[in-house]
Amino acid sequence: MKDNSNDKFIDNSDDNIKLTDDKVKGGDALAAFRKANDERKKAELKKESEREELIAEAERRQREEYARRLEDERRELLKIKAGLAPEDEMREVPEEKPEMPLSKRIGNFWYHNKFTVIVSLLIVIALTYFIGELIFKVNPDVKIMYVASDYEMSVMYEDVANALVPYCPDFNGDGKIYIEVTYNPAVVDESADPEYMQAMSAKLFVEFQSNETIIIFADPETIEVLDIASNVFDNPSDWFEGNTGEWGYLVSSTNLSEDIGYELDPKLLACFRFPKEGLGNFAKFETNYQNAHELWQNFISGNVVNPGATNYHRS
């Protein structure tokens, strides 16, 4: 029994030696890295120490010059009091301050004030961004959200906006036609990244709590999963004639698929959220509601109100 265990140890000796060599090589590399890092830090500390010594030396010379000038003045005063020298011989010795090279003065300033400079710069950048957003922000005339699960819409949502732009009036009167379409699938593949799923859910919740997004592209399955039909969407037959489903207008009865060059789900519906109290400004909600229906009515009837218009793109 003892001999067999020794043989096993001998058989694995090459592997043990190779593993040990790998560890040694890894250790040597780590040691070399640490040594290089230590040398770099020492060099930086030495350079900083030399700079501090130069500053200290300049200050020492300044103090010595000041002390010498005071001593000269004191001697002149003693001479005057003793009657050994007239007052006009007493001259004020100009103070000479040693000048440091510009590069060292800049380096010294940066060393002592770098955090203040960085924080101030970040504040300026943030203020510039927020002021720019406040002044130059363009609000969409109509907001649309595509919640049906269709991965192609992750790259084609702008095509949907471009197809609807000619039928959209300039509702907010800013001289720009801007239809904002976002793709936010309500049902995400379980194999997707959990953080992505959480982000989509949060965004979906925010949009359904706003008073801006009125048109929702959804299919019956998605609507049933969300359980939102009875208390969110209006009755499309109250607004449009024919081609309406239970919860929205049947998109397949329009030219949208042809306009974007992609065959949309035959069951896809254009649903309209009706205004509700407690979701932002109610008057604004009603205005957006009316605007969304006007846009869709223009689209399904072929009423072009802005021929040749292109959708505004935020830069």
Side-chain angles (χ1 to χ4, degrees):
M1 175 89 63
K2 182 176 181 181
D3 293 340
N4 291 339
S5 61
N6 289 336
D7 291 342
K8 183 177 181 182
F9 175 77
I10 292 173
D11 290 340
N12 293 333
S13 59
D14 291 340
D15 294 337
N16 290 333
I17 292 173
K18 184 178 183 302
L19 182 59
T20 303
D21 289 343
D22 290 341
K23 290 183 177 180
V24 170
K25 290 178 182 178
D28 290 344
L30 181 59
F33 173 77
R34 289 176 176 171
K35 181 178 179 181
N37 192 40
D38 291 341
E39 290 176 353
R40 180 181 58 79
K41 290 182 179 179
K42 289 178 181 179
E44 290 178 354
L45 290 173
K46 182 179 178 181
K47 185 176 181 181
E48 183 63 28
S49 177
E50 291 175 351
R51 182 167 59 199
E52 294 291 341
E53 288 177 1
L54 288 173
I55 295 173
E57 178 64 19
E59 292 175 348
R60 183 186 65 79
R61 290 179 181 177
Q62 184 178 357
R63 290 194 299 270
E64 290 179 352
E65 178 62 26
Y66 181 69
R68 184 188 64 78
R69 185 167 61 82
L70 288 178
E71 181 63 21
D72 290 344
E73 291 178 356
R74 187 182 69 80
R75 289 176 181 173
E76 292 293 334
L77 285 173
L78 290 176
K79 286 181 181 182
I80 292 171
K81 289 180 180 180
L84 298 177
E87 287 190 35
D88 58 2
E89 288 186 4
M90 184 178 177
R91 300 183 303 274
E92 183 177 351
V93 180
E95 180 180 358
E96 296 181 0
K97 297 182 179 180
E99 291 191 6
M100 296 176 61
L102 179 61
S103 60
K104 291 186 177 180
R105 278 184 286 169
I106 294 174
N108 186 46
F109 174 82
W110 176 252
Y111 177 76
H112 292 287
N113 301 279
K114 56 186 175 183
F115 292 111
T116 302
V117 172
I118 292 173
V119 172
S120 300
L121 183 61
L122 291 176
I123 292 174
V124 170
I125 293 173
L127 288 175
T128 302
Y129 173 78
F130 287 122
I131 292 174
E133 281 288 300
L134 183 64
I135 297 176
F136 301 108
K137 180 181 179 181
V138 176
N139 294 316
D141 294 288
V142 175
K143 291 185 69 174
I144 301 173
M145 186 165 59
Y146 199 111
V147 302
S149 298
D150 187 345
Y151 181 75
E152 293 296 328
M153 279 300 114
S154 63
V155 294
M156 296 189 66
Y157 58 91
E158 283 290 346
D159 296 324
V160 175
N162 290 328
L164 297 175
V165 161
Y167 308 94
C168 183
D170 182 11
F171 289 118
N172 54 27
D174 61 0
K176 300 178 178 64
I177 306 300
Y178 181 24
I179 298 178
E180 182 180 307
V181 180
T182 57
Y183 175 60
N184 196 109
V187 181
V188 182
D189 189 349
E190 294 182 356
S191 63
D193 181 32
E195 293 184 0
Y196 172 77
M197 297 174 64
Q198 185 176 4
M200 290 296 99
S201 298
K203 185 178 178 182
L204 193 69
F205 175 80
V206 170
E207 291 296 335
F208 272 99
Q209 294 298 309
S210 76
N211 62 1
E212 296 182 348
T213 305
I214 305 298
I215 301 178
I216 308 292
F217 283 116
D219 53 36
E221 291 78 11
T222 300
I223 294 173
E224 290 179 2
V225 168
L226 295 176
D227 192 23
I228 56 177
S230 60
N231 60 350
V232 173
F233 300 139
D234 65 13
N235 185 352
S237 61
D238 294 339
W239 290 85
F240 312 109
E241 295 182 1
N243 302 317
T244 58
E246 183 178 357
W247 301 305
Y249 195 94
L250 198 61
V251 177
S252 61
S253 64
T254 71
N255 295 326
L256 189 57
S257 292
E258 181 180 347
D259 291 342
I260 67 175
Y262 173 71
E263 192 64 32
L264 296 167
D265 185 349
K267 297 178 293 183
L268 188 67
L269 298 170
C271 308
F272 295 79
R273 294 174 58 225
F274 59 79
K276 297 175 67 175
E277 294 283 359
L279 300 180
N281 183 282
F282 185 74
K284 182 64 175 175
F285 204 155
E286 286 189 316
T287 299
N288 291 332
Y289 181 68
Q290 297 287 338
N291 293 345
H293 283 86
E294 183 177 344
L295 164 65
W296 193 253
Q297 182 61 51
N298 287 341
F299 175 62
I300 62 178
S301 64
N303 181 29
V304 176
V305 294
N306 279 298
T310 57
N311 198 35
Y312 168 79
H313 290 276
R314 300 184 64 180
S315 56

